[in-house]
Amino acid sequence: MAPLLPLITALLVFSYGPGGSLSCDLSQDHVQVSKENIALLHQMQRISSFRCRKDRKNFGFLWEMVDGSHMQKAQAISVLYEMLQEISNVFGIQQSSGAWNTTLLHGLLSGLHWQLKDLGTCLVPEMKEVEPALGMEDPVQAVKKYFQGIHIYLKEKQYTDCAWEVVRVEIRKAFSLSTNLLDRL
């Protein structure tokens, strides 16, 4: 999961810096909601991750692809927004409600919705037109493909408790890294 750190670093650095027409300044509340989402994801654990070790999967996202060295600020914000949207989509599917305590699930989805709204103030129409660096895959498309793999995995595993546990752990790691970096900024 170490390659995830450069992606989140780039996203946060680009999101917080002053930037021309992008007057994006995520509030400290954004950090707090991320911490609350991590706590909710931790509380959502229903079974031992160790019990599900046979179901572990490398979802194959090339995190170093979006390490920030060749990513524009607008693109970094778009990637972070897409990641939160996709996490919301994963936990928002009908099969998810049967896997989790509904109070915890609703809390997580509410937190994600708030973060998306807060981050949405940073999005500008031109962001949809940002081109990736020459020869690079579009990072937003890579995030979509990564989460498509998570959806396929859940479906192939027939939304078993262990499949949900593997996905919960995967997403919790991403939240933890991003929150630690937000705290430092």
Side-chain angles (χ1 to χ4, degrees):
M1 213 38 147
L4 179 60
L5 191 59
L7 164 70
I8 296 172
T9 302
L11 295 174
L12 296 175
V13 168
F14 288 131
S15 296
Y16 272 83
S21 64
L22 274 180
S23 59
C24 177
D25 185 26
L26 296 176
S27 68
Q28 190 61 26
D29 291 340
H30 197 84
V31 175
Q32 184 59 38
V33 171
S34 286
K35 288 180 180 181
E36 291 168 6
N37 284 340
I38 292 168
L40 287 168
L41 281 167
H42 181 71
Q43 293 172 32
M44 288 169 71
Q45 181 176 3
R46 292 179 37 203
I47 58 176
S48 165
S49 297
F50 181 76
R51 182 178 136 202
C52 299
R53 67 187 179 280
K54 67 180 178 356
D55 292 298
R56 288 185 191 154
K57 177 172 175 66
N58 176 355
F59 292 100
F61 187 70
L62 302 174
W63 297 104
E64 62 274 3
M65 178 185 72
V66 285
D67 68 1
S69 62
H70 44 67
M71 187 185 299
Q72 298 171 6
K73 177 190 244 180
Q75 196 172 35
I77 292 169
S78 293
V79 168
L80 181 57
Y81 185 88
E82 185 64 34
M83 188 176 291
L84 291 173
Q85 182 64 54
E86 293 290 344
I87 292 169
S88 180
N89 291 344
V90 166
F91 286 103
I93 63 174
Q94 182 180 5
Q95 292 86 346
S96 179
S97 62
W100 310 113
N101 171 304
T102 55
T103 302
L104 297 175
L105 180 61
H106 288 231
L108 176 66
L109 291 171
S110 293
L112 287 167
H113 176 73
W114 186 90
Q115 285 184 290
L116 285 164
K117 184 177 177 186
D118 191 48
L119 187 59
T121 63
C122 300
L123 295 173
V124 293
E126 301 86 55
M127 287 186 186
K128 302 223 183 279
E129 300 168 14
V130 173
E131 292 294 322
L134 189 60
M136 297 296 298
E137 181 180 2
D138 177 5
V140 172
Q141 291 303 315
V143 169
K144 288 180 180 184
K145 196 183 315 184
Y146 167 72
F147 279 96
Q148 181 181 22
I150 289 175
H151 284 283
I152 290 169
Y153 168 80
L154 285 167
K155 188 174 182 178
E156 286 175 351
K157 293 288 187 173
Q158 299 177 348
Y159 304 96
T160 64
D161 287 345
C162 276
W164 279 114
E165 178 59 16
V166 167
V167 168
R168 183 194 67 81
V169 168
E170 179 86 4
I171 290 173
R172 196 180 91 207
K173 288 176 189 174
F175 265 126
S176 293
L177 290 173
S178 66
T179 300
N180 290 340
L181 291 170
L182 278 169
D183 273 341
R184 286 187 228 150
L185 292 175

PDB file of all heavy atoms in Angstrom, residues 3-32:
ATOM      1  N   PRO A   3       2.751   2.604  -2.252  1.00  0.00           N
ATOM      2  CA  PRO A   3       2.623   3.491  -3.405  1.00  0.00           C
ATOM      3  C   PRO A   3       1.408   4.411  -3.328  1.00  0.00           C
ATOM      4  O   PRO A   3       1.303   5.363  -4.067  1.00  0.00           O
ATOM      5  CB  PRO A   3       2.495   2.529  -4.590  1.00  0.00           C
ATOM      6  CG  PRO A   3       3.115   1.265  -4.132  1.00  0.00           C
ATOM      7  CD  PRO A   3       2.825   1.206  -2.653  1.00  0.00           C
ATOM      8  N   LEU A   4       0.480   4.159  -2.428  1.00  0.00           N
ATOM      9  CA  LEU A   4      -0.680   5.023  -2.262  1.00  0.00           C
ATOM     10  C   LEU A   4      -0.277   6.379  -1.690  1.00  0.00           C
ATOM     11  O   LEU A   4      -0.886   7.398  -1.991  1.00  0.00           O
ATOM     12  CB  LEU A   4      -1.706   4.347  -1.344  1.00  0.00           C
ATOM     13  CG  LEU A   4      -2.979   5.093  -1.011  1.00  0.00           C
ATOM     14  CD1 LEU A   4      -3.749   5.399  -2.284  1.00  0.00           C
ATOM     15  CD2 LEU A   4      -3.832   4.259  -0.081  1.00  0.00           C
ATOM     16  N   LEU A   5       0.788   6.400  -0.886  1.00  0.00           N
ATOM     17  CA  LEU A   5       1.224   7.627  -0.238  1.00  0.00           C
ATOM     18  C   LEU A   5       1.534   8.748  -1.230  1.00  0.00           C
ATOM     19  O   LEU A   5       1.081   9.875  -1.027  1.00  0.00           O
ATOM     20  CB  LEU A   5       2.431   7.319   0.646  1.00  0.00           C
ATOM     21  CG  LEU A   5       2.879   8.403   1.594  1.00  0.00           C
ATOM     22  CD1 LEU A   5       1.757   8.772   2.559  1.00  0.00           C
ATOM     23  CD2 LEU A   5       4.096   7.934   2.381  1.00  0.00           C
ATOM     24  N   PRO A   6       2.278   8.503  -2.315  1.00  0.00           N
ATOM     25  CA  PRO A   6       2.548   9.593  -3.259  1.00  0.00           C
ATOM     26  C   PRO A   6       1.277  10.171  -3.900  1.00  0.00           C
ATOM     27  O   PRO A   6       1.183  11.370  -4.105  1.00  0.00           O
ATOM     28  CB  PRO A   6       3.440   8.955  -4.329  1.00  0.00           C
ATOM     29  CG  PRO A   6       4.037   7.770  -3.664  1.00  0.00           C
ATOM     30  CD  PRO A   6       3.028   7.297  -2.669  1.00  0.00           C
ATOM     31  N   LEU A   7       0.296   9.332  -4.191  1.00  0.00           N
ATOM     32  CA  LEU A   7      -0.960   9.812  -4.774  1.00  0.00           C
ATOM     33  C   LEU A   7      -1.653  10.766  -3.821  1.00  0.00           C
ATOM     34  O   LEU A   7      -2.019  11.875  -4.190  1.00  0.00           O
ATOM     35  CB  LEU A   7      -1.906   8.647  -5.080  1.00  0.00           C
ATOM     36  CG  LEU A   7      -3.369   9.038  -5.332  1.00  0.00           C
ATOM     37  CD1 LEU A   7      -3.495   9.781  -6.653  1.00  0.00           C
ATOM     38  CD2 LEU A   7      -4.261   7.839  -5.299  1.00  0.00           C
ATOM     39  N   ILE A   8      -1.795  10.343  -2.597  1.00  0.00           N
ATOM     40  CA  ILE A   8      -2.520  11.167  -1.639  1.00  0.00           C
ATOM     41  C   ILE A   8      -1.740  12.433  -1.347  1.00  0.00           C
ATOM     42  O   ILE A   8      -2.317  13.521  -1.226  1.00  0.00           O
ATOM     43  CB  ILE A   8      -2.847  10.354  -0.375  1.00  0.00           C
ATOM     44  CG1 ILE A   8      -3.803   9.216  -0.757  1.00  0.00           C
ATOM     45  CG2 ILE A   8      -3.451  11.225   0.703  1.00  0.00           C
ATOM     46  CD1 ILE A   8      -4.067   8.222   0.324  1.00  0.00           C
ATOM     47  N   THR A   9      -0.412  12.328  -1.256  1.00  0.00           N
ATOM     48  CA  THR A   9       0.404  13.520  -1.049  1.00  0.00           C
ATOM     49  C   THR A   9       0.162  14.522  -2.169  1.00  0.00           C
ATOM     50  O   THR A   9      -0.077  15.702  -1.912  1.00  0.00           O
ATOM     51  CB  THR A   9       1.902  13.150  -1.004  1.00  0.00           C
ATOM     52  OG1 THR A   9       2.115  12.206   0.039  1.00  0.00           O
ATOM     53  CG2 THR A   9       2.758  14.381  -0.773  1.00  0.00           C
ATOM     54  N   ALA A  10       0.219  14.053  -3.398  1.00  0.00           N
ATOM     55  CA  ALA A  10       0.006  14.952  -4.536  1.00  0.00           C
ATOM     56  C   ALA A  10      -1.376  15.569  -4.497  1.00  0.00           C
ATOM     57  O   ALA A  10      -1.543  16.771  -4.716  1.00  0.00           O
ATOM     58  CB  ALA A  10       0.197  14.189  -5.845  1.00  0.00           C
ATOM     59  N   LEU A  11      -2.369  14.767  -4.210  1.00  0.00           N
ATOM     60  CA  LEU A  11      -3.738  15.277  -4.166  1.00  0.00           C
ATOM     61  C   LEU A  11      -3.901  16.365  -3.122  1.00  0.00           C
ATOM     62  O   LEU A  11      -4.520  17.394  -3.364  1.00  0.00           O
ATOM     63  CB  LEU A  11      -4.725  14.139  -3.887  1.00  0.00           C
ATOM     64  CG  LEU A  11      -4.829  13.075  -4.970  1.00  0.00           C
ATOM     65  CD1 LEU A  11      -5.723  11.934  -4.492  1.00  0.00           C
ATOM     66  CD2 LEU A  11      -5.369  13.665  -6.247  1.00  0.00           C
ATOM     67  N   LEU A  12      -3.337  16.126  -1.962  1.00  0.00           N
ATOM     68  CA  LEU A  12      -3.504  17.083  -0.884  1.00  0.00           C
ATOM     69  C   LEU A  12      -2.682  18.345  -1.103  1.00  0.00           C
ATOM     70  O   LEU A  12      -3.154  19.449  -0.852  1.00  0.00           O
ATOM     71  CB  LEU A  12      -3.166  16.434   0.446  1.00  0.00           C
ATOM     72  CG  LEU A  12      -4.112  15.294   0.809  1.00  0.00           C
ATOM     73  CD1 LEU A  12      -3.654  14.602   2.067  1.00  0.00           C
ATOM     74  CD2 LEU A  12      -5.521  15.807   0.957  1.00  0.00           C
ATOM     75  N   VAL A  13      -1.461  18.194  -1.563  1.00  0.00           N
ATOM     76  CA  VAL A  13      -0.640  19.372  -1.833  1.00  0.00           C
ATOM     77  C   VAL A  13      -1.299  20.245  -2.888  1.00  0.00           C
ATOM     78  O   VAL A  13      -1.416  21.453  -2.739  1.00  0.00           O
ATOM     79  CB  VAL A  13       0.780  18.963  -2.272  1.00  0.00           C
ATOM     80  CG1 VAL A  13       1.549  20.137  -2.845  1.00  0.00           C
ATOM     81  CG2 VAL A  13       1.529  18.358  -1.095  1.00  0.00           C
ATOM     82  N   PHE A  14      -1.767  19.631  -3.966  1.00  0.00           N
ATOM     83  CA  PHE A  14      -2.410  20.387  -5.020  1.00  0.00           C
ATOM     84  C   PHE A  14      -3.727  20.981  -4.555  1.00  0.00           C
ATOM     85  O   PHE A  14      -4.119  22.052  -4.987  1.00  0.00           O
ATOM     86  CB  PHE A  14      -2.642  19.527  -6.259  1.00  0.00           C
ATOM     87  CG  PHE A  14      -1.376  19.206  -7.003  1.00  0.00           C
ATOM     88  CD1 PHE A  14      -1.091  17.914  -7.368  1.00  0.00           C
ATOM     89  CD2 PHE A  14      -0.470  20.193  -7.325  1.00  0.00           C
ATOM     90  CE1 PHE A  14       0.073  17.612  -8.051  1.00  0.00           C
ATOM     91  CE2 PHE A  14       0.691  19.901  -8.002  1.00  0.00           C
ATOM     92  CZ  PHE A  14       0.971  18.608  -8.362  1.00  0.00           C
ATOM     93  N   SER A  15      -4.424  20.308  -3.673  1.00  0.00           N
ATOM     94  CA  SER A  15      -5.716  20.792  -3.216  1.00  0.00           C
ATOM     95  C   SER A  15      -5.578  21.978  -2.277  1.00  0.00           C
ATOM     96  O   SER A  15      -6.460  22.817  -2.194  1.00  0.00           O
ATOM     97  CB  SER A  15      -6.482  19.684  -2.478  1.00  0.00           C
ATOM     98  OG  SER A  15      -6.777  18.639  -3.341  1.00  0.00           O
ATOM     99  N   TYR A  16      -4.478  22.070  -1.555  1.00  0.00           N
ATOM    100  CA  TYR A  16      -4.342  23.109  -0.546  1.00  0.00           C
ATOM    101  C   TYR A  16      -3.608  24.349  -1.032  1.00  0.00           C
ATOM    102  O   TYR A  16      -3.740  25.399  -0.443  1.00  0.00           O
ATOM    103  CB  TYR A  16      -3.616  22.555   0.683  1.00  0.00           C
ATOM    104  CG  TYR A  16      -4.569  21.934   1.641  1.00  0.00           C
ATOM    105  CD1 TYR A  16      -4.992  20.631   1.457  1.00  0.00           C
ATOM    106  CD2 TYR A  16      -5.068  22.638   2.713  1.00  0.00           C
ATOM    107  CE1 TYR A  16      -5.878  20.045   2.316  1.00  0.00           C
ATOM    108  CE2 TYR A  16      -5.948  22.056   3.585  1.00  0.00           C
ATOM    109  CZ  TYR A  16      -6.352  20.765   3.390  1.00  0.00           C
ATOM    110  OH  TYR A  16      -7.229  20.193   4.254  1.00  0.00           O
ATOM    111  N   GLY A  17      -2.815  24.235  -2.063  1.00  0.00           N
ATOM    112  CA  GLY A  17      -2.040  25.379  -2.495  1.00  0.00           C
ATOM    113  C   GLY A  17      -2.889  26.416  -3.183  1.00  0.00           C
ATOM    114  O   GLY A  17      -3.926  26.133  -3.741  1.00  0.00           O
ATOM    115  N   PRO A  18      -2.451  27.690  -3.093  1.00  0.00           N
ATOM    116  CA  PRO A  18      -3.185  28.725  -3.812  1.00  0.00           C
ATOM    117  C   PRO A  18      -2.998  28.521  -5.295  1.00  0.00           C
ATOM    118  O   PRO A  18      -1.932  28.124  -5.732  1.00  0.00           O
ATOM    119  CB  PRO A  18      -2.532  30.025  -3.338  1.00  0.00           C
ATOM    120  CG  PRO A  18      -1.176  29.625  -2.888  1.00  0.00           C
ATOM    121  CD  PRO A  18      -1.276  28.198  -2.421  1.00  0.00           C
ATOM    122  N   GLY A  19      -4.008  28.772  -6.061  1.00  0.00           N
ATOM    123  CA  GLY A  19      -3.844  28.477  -7.467  1.00  0.00           C
ATOM    124  C   GLY A  19      -4.758  29.246  -8.373  1.00  0.00           C
ATOM    125  O   GLY A  19      -5.892  28.857  -8.550  1.00  0.00           O
ATOM    126  N   GLY A  20      -4.245  30.319  -8.946  1.00  0.00           N
ATOM    127  CA  GLY A  20      -4.963  31.048  -9.982  1.00  0.00           C
ATOM    128  C   GLY A  20      -6.448  31.108  -9.750  1.00  0.00           C
ATOM    129  O   GLY A  20      -6.939  31.648  -8.785  1.00  0.00           O
ATOM    130  N   SER A  21      -7.197  30.497 -10.686  1.00  0.00           N
ATOM    131  CA  SER A  21      -8.643  30.527 -10.602  1.00  0.00           C
ATOM    132  C   SER A  21      -9.174  29.486  -9.619  1.00  0.00           C
ATOM    133  O   SER A  21     -10.348  29.460  -9.327  1.00  0.00           O
ATOM    134  CB  SER A  21      -9.237  30.255 -11.992  1.00  0.00           C
ATOM    135  OG  SER A  21      -8.890  28.961 -12.401  1.00  0.00           O
ATOM    136  N   LEU A  22      -8.302  28.606  -9.126  1.00  0.00           N
ATOM    137  CA  LEU A  22      -8.727  27.600  -8.156  1.00  0.00           C
ATOM    138  C   LEU A  22      -8.528  28.135  -6.748  1.00  0.00           C
ATOM    139  O   LEU A  22      -7.447  28.105  -6.217  1.00  0.00           O
ATOM    140  CB  LEU A  22      -7.894  26.328  -8.305  1.00  0.00           C
ATOM    141  CG  LEU A  22      -8.329  25.307  -9.298  1.00  0.00           C
ATOM    142  CD1 LEU A  22      -7.355  24.138  -9.254  1.00  0.00           C
ATOM    143  CD2 LEU A  22      -9.717  24.828  -9.054  1.00  0.00           C
ATOM    144  N   SER A  23      -9.551  28.657  -6.146  1.00  0.00           N
ATOM    145  CA  SER A  23      -9.425  29.111  -4.770  1.00  0.00           C
ATOM    146  C   SER A  23      -9.990  28.035  -3.869  1.00  0.00           C
ATOM    147  O   SER A  23     -10.998  28.225  -3.208  1.00  0.00           O
ATOM    148  CB  SER A  23     -10.149  30.444  -4.591  1.00  0.00           C
ATOM    149  OG  SER A  23     -11.513  30.284  -4.927  1.00  0.00           O
ATOM    150  N   CYS A  24      -9.329  26.927  -3.842  1.00  0.00           N
ATOM    151  CA  CYS A  24      -9.796  25.775  -3.089  1.00  0.00           C
ATOM    152  C   CYS A  24      -9.051  25.700  -1.772  1.00  0.00           C
ATOM    153  O   CYS A  24      -7.836  25.611  -1.738  1.00  0.00           O
ATOM    154  CB  CYS A  24      -9.546  24.502  -3.902  1.00  0.00           C
ATOM    155  SG  CYS A  24     -10.023  23.019  -3.011  1.00  0.00           S
ATOM    156  N   ASP A  25      -9.788  25.743  -0.690  1.00  0.00           N
ATOM    157  CA  ASP A  25      -9.200  25.613   0.626  1.00  0.00           C
ATOM    158  C   ASP A  25     -10.102  24.704   1.435  1.00  0.00           C
ATOM    159  O   ASP A  25     -11.119  25.146   1.973  1.00  0.00           O
ATOM    160  CB  ASP A  25      -9.057  26.982   1.279  1.00  0.00           C
ATOM    161  CG  ASP A  25      -8.338  26.905   2.607  1.00  0.00           C
ATOM    162  OD1 ASP A  25      -7.550  25.955   2.802  1.00  0.00           O
ATOM    163  OD2 ASP A  25      -8.564  27.784   3.455  1.00  0.00           O
ATOM    164  N   LEU A  26      -9.745  23.429   1.479  1.00  0.00           N
ATOM    165  CA  LEU A  26     -10.565  22.486   2.220  1.00  0.00           C
ATOM    166  C   LEU A  26     -10.493  22.819   3.700  1.00  0.00           C
ATOM    167  O   LEU A  26      -9.437  23.073   4.248  1.00  0.00           O
ATOM    168  CB  LEU A  26     -10.094  21.058   1.968  1.00  0.00           C
ATOM    169  CG  LEU A  26     -10.237  20.564   0.547  1.00  0.00           C
ATOM    170  CD1 LEU A  26      -9.652  19.167   0.398  1.00  0.00           C
ATOM    171  CD2 LEU A  26     -11.692  20.563   0.111  1.00  0.00           C
ATOM    172  N   SER A  27     -11.633  22.787   4.346  1.00  0.00           N
ATOM    173  CA  SER A  27     -11.706  23.147   5.750  1.00  0.00           C
ATOM    174  C   SER A  27     -11.119  22.063   6.638  1.00  0.00           C
ATOM    175  O   SER A  27     -10.955  20.916   6.228  1.00  0.00           O
ATOM    176  CB  SER A  27     -13.163  23.392   6.135  1.00  0.00           C
ATOM    177  OG  SER A  27     -13.882  22.180   6.079  1.00  0.00           O
ATOM    178  N   GLN A  28     -10.829  22.453   7.889  1.00  0.00           N
ATOM    179  CA  GLN A  28     -10.368  21.492   8.879  1.00  0.00           C
ATOM    180  C   GLN A  28     -11.468  20.463   9.146  1.00  0.00           C
ATOM    181  O   GLN A  28     -11.191  19.341   9.537  1.00  0.00           O
ATOM    182  CB  GLN A  28      -9.961  22.214  10.170  1.00  0.00           C
ATOM    183  CG  GLN A  28      -9.244  21.338  11.168  1.00  0.00           C
ATOM    184  CD  GLN A  28      -7.932  20.751  10.649  1.00  0.00           C
ATOM    185  OE1 GLN A  28      -7.275  21.292   9.767  1.00  0.00           O
ATOM    186  NE2 GLN A  28      -7.552  19.609  11.194  1.00  0.00           N
ATOM    187  N   ASP A  29     -12.714  20.850   8.908  1.00  0.00           N
ATOM    188  CA  ASP A  29     -13.823  19.912   9.065  1.00  0.00           C
ATOM    189  C   ASP A  29     -13.658  18.716   8.132  1.00  0.00           C
ATOM    190  O   ASP A  29     -14.070  17.609   8.453  1.00  0.00           O
ATOM    191  CB  ASP A  29     -15.167  20.596   8.782  1.00  0.00           C
ATOM    192  CG  ASP A  29     -15.538  21.613   9.844  1.00  0.00           C
ATOM    193  OD1 ASP A  29     -14.987  21.542  10.963  1.00  0.00           O
ATOM    194  OD2 ASP A  29     -16.386  22.469   9.563  1.00  0.00           O
ATOM    195  N   HIS A  30     -13.050  18.947   6.964  1.00  0.00           N
ATOM    196  CA  HIS A  30     -12.814  17.874   6.006  1.00  0.00           C
ATOM    197  C   HIS A  30     -11.917  16.803   6.635  1.00  0.00           C
ATOM    198  O   HIS A  30     -12.170  15.606   6.485  1.00  0.00           O
ATOM    199  CB  HIS A  30     -12.178  18.451   4.737  1.00  0.00           C
ATOM    200  CG  HIS A  30     -12.254  17.543   3.553  1.00  0.00           C
ATOM    201  ND1 HIS A  30     -13.355  17.477   2.739  1.00  0.00           N
ATOM    202  CD2 HIS A  30     -11.366  16.665   3.055  1.00  0.00           C
ATOM    203  CE1 HIS A  30     -13.147  16.598   1.776  1.00  0.00           C
ATOM    204  NE2 HIS A  30     -11.940  16.093   1.957  1.00  0.00           N
ATOM    205  N   VAL A  31     -10.894  17.247   7.347  1.00  0.00           N
ATOM    206  CA  VAL A  31      -9.990  16.332   8.043  1.00  0.00           C
ATOM    207  C   VAL A  31     -10.761  15.564   9.108  1.00  0.00           C
ATOM    208  O   VAL A  31     -10.620  14.344   9.225  1.00  0.00           O
ATOM    209  CB  VAL A  31      -8.815  17.100   8.690  1.00  0.00           C
ATOM    210  CG1 VAL A  31      -7.947  16.167   9.516  1.00  0.00           C
ATOM    211  CG2 VAL A  31      -7.987  17.801   7.630  1.00  0.00           C
ATOM    212  N   GLN A  32     -11.585  16.261   9.870  1.00  0.00           N
ATOM    213  CA  GLN A  32     -12.343  15.618  10.934  1.00  0.00           C
ATOM    214  C   GLN A  32     -13.311  14.573  10.373  1.00  0.00           C
ATOM    215  O   GLN A  32     -13.438  13.485  10.918  1.00  0.00           O
ATOM    216  CB  GLN A  32     -13.108  16.663  11.767  1.00  0.00           C
ATOM    217  CG  GLN A  32     -13.835  16.086  12.957  1.00  0.00           C
ATOM    218  CD  GLN A  32     -12.901  15.365  13.928  1.00  0.00           C
ATOM    219  OE1 GLN A  32     -11.785  15.789  14.166  1.00  0.00           O
ATOM    220  NE2 GLN A  32     -13.373  14.258  14.470  1.00  0.00           N
TER     221      GLN A  32
END
